[in-house]
Amino acid sequence: MGTIVRSAGREDIPAILAIYNDAVLNTTAIWNETPSDLAGRTAWFEERVAAGFPVLVAEEDGAVLGYATYGPFRPHEGYRHTAELSIYVRADTRGRGIGKALMGALVSTATERGVHVLVGGIEAGNEGSVRLHAAFGFEMGAVLPQVGAKFGRWLDLLFMYRVLSDEPPKPPRGR
């Protein structure tokens, strides 16, 4: 049986939590230094779903191997057509195409839902993530040097982006 990408349910939150906390504790993919707990990840999940954002999981043989989502790029109305994505893969399954499966599904979902631009904020030294984004047509946007710190070193933030549609936005109602 191959990898299945599907919408996450509440039953997937413990697996999502484990993947998230591993990234917090062992990688520079997430710049948080404090692990989350089940209540925190549950609140995060419920907020995402209530706001209409997808939370996807990649599963093989009933085991969640990774998750992906997108959410607001910035809180201001002018950015409402842009979303920032996140993809995390369980440490023991990296390099097996799980990230590619999640990215493909996430790009498709964002396109179907009318997202104009997807943005990835990546630790500039994360070559695997840079390659994954590039393989899906993301372009280099900007590098912000030393804007983060973790594990006793400065981190550079690389923004990569992909324009999903050339369709211009409809003006807000009443304008």
Side-chain angles (χ1 to χ4, degrees):
M1 186 166 146
T3 303
I4 297 168
V5 177
R6 59 171 175 78
S7 292
R10 289 181 61 86
E11 68 279 5
D12 299 310
I13 297 171
I16 290 170
L17 174 66
I19 294 166
Y20 176 86
N21 281 342
D22 177 69
V24 167
L25 295 171
N26 299 303
T27 77
T28 57
I30 297 174
W31 293 7
N32 292 342
E33 296 173 347
T34 305
S36 187
D37 60 14
L38 188 57
R41 264 303 91 168
T42 300
W44 167 87
F45 177 82
E46 290 174 353
E47 288 169 7
R48 287 281 158 150
V49 172
F53 296 117
V55 179
L56 307 175
V57 292
E59 175 187 288
E60 285 181 8
D61 300 322
V64 172
L65 306 182
Y67 73 94
T69 187
Y70 64 75
F73 174 62
R74 298 196 70 191
H76 310 293
E77 293 169 337
Y79 295 104
R80 69 185 167 275
H81 304 288
T82 301
E84 185 169 358
L85 66 88
S86 298
I87 297 176
Y88 299 100
V89 176
R90 205 172 76 189
D92 63 334
T93 63
R94 292 183 192 135
R96 290 186 28 208
I98 306 300
K100 287 180 181 178
L102 286 164
M103 180 69 87
L106 199 62
V107 167
S108 292
T109 299
T111 302
E112 290 166 8
R113 294 184 179 188
V115 173
H116 177 58
V117 176
L118 269 179
V119 175
I122 306 162
E123 194 276 314
N126 186 339
E127 294 176 12
S129 186
V130 171
R131 280 194 308 271
L132 174 65
H133 284 76
F136 280 85
F138 283 74
E139 299 179 45
M140 302 285 184
V143 176
L144 305 178
Q146 299 183 9
V147 296
K150 190 171 179 182
F151 302 135
R153 63 185 176 97
W154 293 114
L155 302 174
D156 300 343
L157 178 61
L158 166 64
F159 283 113
M160 295 183 75
Y161 70 94
R162 178 174 165 184
V163 177
L164 301 177
S165 167
D166 290 328
E167 192 69 28
K170 294 181 176 42
R173 225 177 255 208
R175 295 195 182 152

